[in-house]
PDB file of all heavy atoms in Angstrom:
ATOM      1  N   TYR A   4       8.229 -47.978   6.874  1.00 87.00           N
ATOM      2  CA  TYR A   4       7.231 -46.993   6.500  1.00 87.00           C
ATOM      3  C   TYR A   4       6.886 -47.248   5.043  1.00 87.00           C
ATOM      4  O   TYR A   4       7.781 -47.374   4.200  1.00 87.00           O
ATOM      5  CB  TYR A   4       7.811 -45.585   6.658  1.00 87.00           C
ATOM      6  CG  TYR A   4       6.906 -44.505   6.152  1.00 87.00           C
ATOM      7  CD1 TYR A   4       5.900 -43.990   6.955  1.00 87.00           C
ATOM      8  CD2 TYR A   4       7.049 -44.002   4.863  1.00 87.00           C
ATOM      9  CE1 TYR A   4       5.056 -42.997   6.490  1.00 87.00           C
ATOM     10  CE2 TYR A   4       6.213 -43.005   4.387  1.00 87.00           C
ATOM     11  CZ  TYR A   4       5.216 -42.513   5.209  1.00 87.00           C
ATOM     12  OH  TYR A   4       4.382 -41.539   4.737  1.00 87.00           O
ATOM     13  N   THR A   5       5.601 -47.358   4.741  1.00 87.00           N
ATOM     14  CA  THR A   5       5.172 -47.606   3.371  1.00 87.00           C
ATOM     15  C   THR A   5       4.432 -46.385   2.845  1.00 87.00           C
ATOM     16  O   THR A   5       3.452 -45.939   3.452  1.00 87.00           O
ATOM     17  CB  THR A   5       4.252 -48.842   3.295  1.00 87.00           C
ATOM     18  OG1 THR A   5       4.942 -49.955   3.853  1.00 87.00           O
ATOM     19  CG2 THR A   5       3.873 -49.143   1.850  1.00 87.00           C
ATOM     20  N   GLY A   6       4.908 -45.880   1.712  1.00 84.00           N
ATOM     21  CA  GLY A   6       4.237 -44.756   1.087  1.00 84.00           C
ATOM     22  C   GLY A   6       2.958 -45.187   0.405  1.00 84.00           C
ATOM     23  O   GLY A   6       2.785 -46.356   0.055  1.00 84.00           O
ATOM     24  N   ASN A   7       2.041 -44.239   0.193  1.00 87.00           N
ATOM     25  CA  ASN A   7       0.769 -44.558  -0.460  1.00 87.00           C
ATOM     26  C   ASN A   7       0.778 -44.240  -1.950  1.00 87.00           C
ATOM     27  O   ASN A   7      -0.206 -44.457  -2.639  1.00 87.00           O
ATOM     28  CB  ASN A   7      -0.399 -43.845   0.235  1.00 87.00           C
ATOM     29  CG  ASN A   7      -0.333 -42.335   0.114  1.00 87.00           C
ATOM     30  OD1 ASN A   7       0.496 -41.771  -0.610  1.00 87.00           O
ATOM     31  ND2 ASN A   7      -1.210 -41.652   0.846  1.00 87.00           N
ATOM     32  N   GLY A   8       1.900 -43.701  -2.462  1.00 83.00           N
ATOM     33  CA  GLY A   8       2.015 -43.422  -3.888  1.00 83.00           C
ATOM     34  C   GLY A   8       1.373 -42.122  -4.333  1.00 83.00           C
ATOM     35  O   GLY A   8       1.474 -41.753  -5.503  1.00 83.00           O
ATOM     36  N   SER A   9       0.701 -41.405  -3.416  1.00 83.00           N
ATOM     37  CA  SER A   9       0.043 -40.167  -3.833  1.00 83.00           C
ATOM     38  C   SER A   9       0.297 -38.968  -2.923  1.00 83.00           C
ATOM     39  O   SER A   9       0.191 -37.837  -3.376  1.00 83.00           O
ATOM     40  CB  SER A   9      -1.466 -40.390  -3.943  1.00 83.00           C
ATOM     41  OG  SER A   9      -2.008 -40.724  -2.682  1.00 83.00           O
ATOM     42  N   SER A  10       0.605 -39.199  -1.653  1.00 87.00           N
ATOM     43  CA  SER A  10       0.791 -38.044  -0.785  1.00 87.00           C
ATOM     44  C   SER A  10       1.711 -38.294   0.417  1.00 87.00           C
ATOM     45  O   SER A  10       2.079 -37.345   1.098  1.00 87.00           O
ATOM     46  CB  SER A  10      -0.562 -37.546  -0.270  1.00 87.00           C
ATOM     47  OG  SER A  10      -1.183 -38.551   0.518  1.00 87.00           O
ATOM     48  N   SER A  11       2.064 -39.526   0.706  1.00 87.00           N
ATOM     49  CA  SER A  11       2.839 -39.792   1.921  1.00 87.00           C
ATOM     50  C   SER A  11       4.334 -39.897   1.639  1.00 87.00           C
ATOM     51  O   SER A  11       4.747 -40.410   0.602  1.00 87.00           O
ATOM     52  CB  SER A  11       2.336 -41.059   2.612  1.00 87.00           C
ATOM     53  OG  SER A  11       2.508 -42.170   1.779  1.00 87.00           O
ATOM     54  N   TYR A  12       5.122 -39.415   2.577  1.00 88.00           N
ATOM     55  CA  TYR A  12       6.579 -39.440   2.492  1.00 88.00           C
ATOM     56  C   TYR A  12       7.128 -39.028   3.842  1.00 88.00           C
ATOM     57  O   TYR A  12       6.384 -38.598   4.726  1.00 88.00           O
ATOM     58  CB  TYR A  12       7.093 -38.492   1.403  1.00 88.00           C
ATOM     59  CG  TYR A  12       6.775 -37.040   1.661  1.00 88.00           C
ATOM     60  CD1 TYR A  12       7.714 -36.198   2.245  1.00 88.00           C
ATOM     61  CD2 TYR A  12       5.523 -36.516   1.348  1.00 88.00           C
ATOM     62  CE1 TYR A  12       7.415 -34.860   2.503  1.00 88.00           C
ATOM     63  CE2 TYR A  12       5.225 -35.188   1.604  1.00 88.00           C
ATOM     64  CZ  TYR A  12       6.165 -34.372   2.172  1.00 88.00           C
ATOM     65  OH  TYR A  12       5.878 -33.061   2.438  1.00 88.00           O
ATOM     66  N   ILE A  13       8.433 -39.152   4.008  1.00 89.00           N
ATOM     67  CA  ILE A  13       9.094 -38.708   5.236  1.00 89.00           C
ATOM     68  C   ILE A  13       9.971 -37.513   4.898  1.00 89.00           C
ATOM     69  O   ILE A  13      10.814 -37.589   3.996  1.00 89.00           O
ATOM     70  CB  ILE A  13       9.949 -39.836   5.846  1.00 89.00           C
ATOM     71  CG1 ILE A  13       9.051 -40.996   6.278  1.00 89.00           C
ATOM     72  CG2 ILE A  13      10.770 -39.318   7.019  1.00 89.00           C
ATOM     73  CD1 ILE A  13       9.806 -42.218   6.702  1.00 89.00           C
ATOM     74  N   ASN A  14       9.774 -36.423   5.614  1.00 89.00           N
ATOM     75  CA  ASN A  14      10.600 -35.230   5.475  1.00 89.00           C
ATOM     76  C   ASN A  14      11.620 -35.269   6.602  1.00 89.00           C
ATOM     77  O   ASN A  14      11.254 -35.183   7.775  1.00 89.00           O
ATOM     78  CB  ASN A  14       9.734 -33.970   5.569  1.00 89.00           C
ATOM     79  CG  ASN A  14      10.532 -32.700   5.412  1.00 89.00           C
ATOM     80  OD1 ASN A  14      11.757 -32.676   5.507  1.00 89.00           O
ATOM     81  ND2 ASN A  14       9.823 -31.597   5.171  1.00 89.00           N
ATOM     82  N   SER A  15      12.891 -35.418   6.261  1.00 90.00           N
ATOM     83  CA  SER A  15      13.935 -35.525   7.283  1.00 90.00           C
ATOM     84  C   SER A  15      14.129 -34.226   8.063  1.00 90.00           C
ATOM     85  O   SER A  15      14.683 -34.239   9.157  1.00 90.00           O
ATOM     86  CB  SER A  15      15.262 -35.914   6.638  1.00 90.00           C
ATOM     87  OG  SER A  15      15.793 -34.817   5.908  1.00 90.00           O
ATOM     88  N   GLY A  16      13.692 -33.108   7.487  1.00 90.00           N
ATOM     89  CA  GLY A  16      13.933 -31.819   8.117  1.00 90.00           C
ATOM     90  C   GLY A  16      15.366 -31.333   7.962  1.00 90.00           C
ATOM     91  O   GLY A  16      15.730 -30.290   8.483  1.00 90.00           O
ATOM     92  N   PHE A  17      16.174 -32.083   7.215  1.00 90.00           N
ATOM     93  CA  PHE A  17      17.591 -31.753   7.044  1.00 90.00           C
ATOM     94  C   PHE A  17      17.810 -31.141   5.668  1.00 90.00           C
ATOM     95  O   PHE A  17      17.559 -31.775   4.647  1.00 90.00           O
ATOM     96  CB  PHE A  17      18.447 -33.014   7.197  1.00 90.00           C
ATOM     97  CG  PHE A  17      19.927 -32.757   7.093  1.00 90.00           C
ATOM     98  CD1 PHE A  17      20.655 -32.389   8.215  1.00 90.00           C
ATOM     99  CD2 PHE A  17      20.596 -32.882   5.882  1.00 90.00           C
ATOM    100  CE1 PHE A  17      22.024 -32.155   8.133  1.00 90.00           C
ATOM    101  CE2 PHE A  17      21.953 -32.655   5.784  1.00 90.00           C
ATOM    102  CZ  PHE A  17      22.672 -32.290   6.914  1.00 90.00           C
ATOM    103  N   ASN A  18      18.264 -29.907   5.634  1.00 90.00           N
ATOM    104  CA  ASN A  18      18.616 -29.212   4.401  1.00 90.00           C
ATOM    105  C   ASN A  18      20.141 -29.116   4.366  1.00 90.00           C
ATOM    106  O   ASN A  18      20.742 -28.401   5.171  1.00 90.00           O
ATOM    107  CB  ASN A  18      17.995 -27.818   4.378  1.00 90.00           C
ATOM    108  CG  ASN A  18      18.331 -27.035   3.128  1.00 90.00           C
ATOM    109  OD1 ASN A  18      19.414 -27.159   2.558  1.00 90.00           O
ATOM    110  ND2 ASN A  18      17.402 -26.201   2.707  1.00 90.00           N
ATOM    111  N   PRO A  19      20.809 -29.831   3.446  1.00 91.00           N
ATOM    112  CA  PRO A  19      22.274 -29.835   3.415  1.00 91.00           C
ATOM    113  C   PRO A  19      22.898 -28.454   3.280  1.00 91.00           C
ATOM    114  O   PRO A  19      24.005 -28.226   3.767  1.00 91.00           O
ATOM    115  CB  PRO A  19      22.602 -30.707   2.202  1.00 91.00           C
ATOM    116  CG  PRO A  19      21.424 -31.607   2.057  1.00 91.00           C
ATOM    117  CD  PRO A  19      20.244 -30.756   2.453  1.00 91.00           C
ATOM    118  N   SER A  20      22.212 -27.514   2.625  1.00 89.00           N
ATOM    119  CA  SER A  20      22.779 -26.177   2.432  1.00 89.00           C
ATOM    120  C   SER A  20      22.804 -25.352   3.709  1.00 89.00           C
ATOM    121  O   SER A  20      23.653 -24.488   3.869  1.00 89.00           O
ATOM    122  CB  SER A  20      21.980 -25.399   1.386  1.00 89.00           C
ATOM    123  OG  SER A  20      22.497 -25.625   0.111  1.00 89.00           O
ATOM    124  N   THR A  21      21.869 -25.600   4.610  1.00 91.00           N
ATOM    125  CA  THR A  21      21.752 -24.750   5.787  1.00 91.00           C
ATOM    126  C   THR A  21      22.048 -25.449   7.104  1.00 91.00           C
ATOM    127  O   THR A  21      22.271 -24.784   8.112  1.00 91.00           O
ATOM    128  CB  THR A  21      20.334 -24.150   5.854  1.00 91.00           C
ATOM    129  OG1 THR A  21      19.388 -25.211   5.958  1.00 91.00           O
ATOM    130  CG2 THR A  21      20.039 -23.301   4.628  1.00 91.00           C
ATOM    131  N   ALA A  22      22.064 -26.775   7.122  1.00 89.00           N
ATOM    132  CA  ALA A  22      22.178 -27.503   8.385  1.00 89.00           C
ATOM    133  C   ALA A  22      23.596 -27.600   8.929  1.00 89.00           C
ATOM    134  O   ALA A  22      23.802 -27.696  10.126  1.00 89.00           O
ATOM    135  CB  ALA A  22      21.605 -28.907   8.236  1.00 89.00           C
TER     136      ALA A  22
END
Side-chain angles (χ1 to χ4, degrees):
Y4 174 84
T5 304
N7 65 8
S9 63
S10 63
S11 62
Y12 63 97
I13 296 172
N14 181 345
S15 72
F17 182 87
N18 179 326
S20 270
T21 61

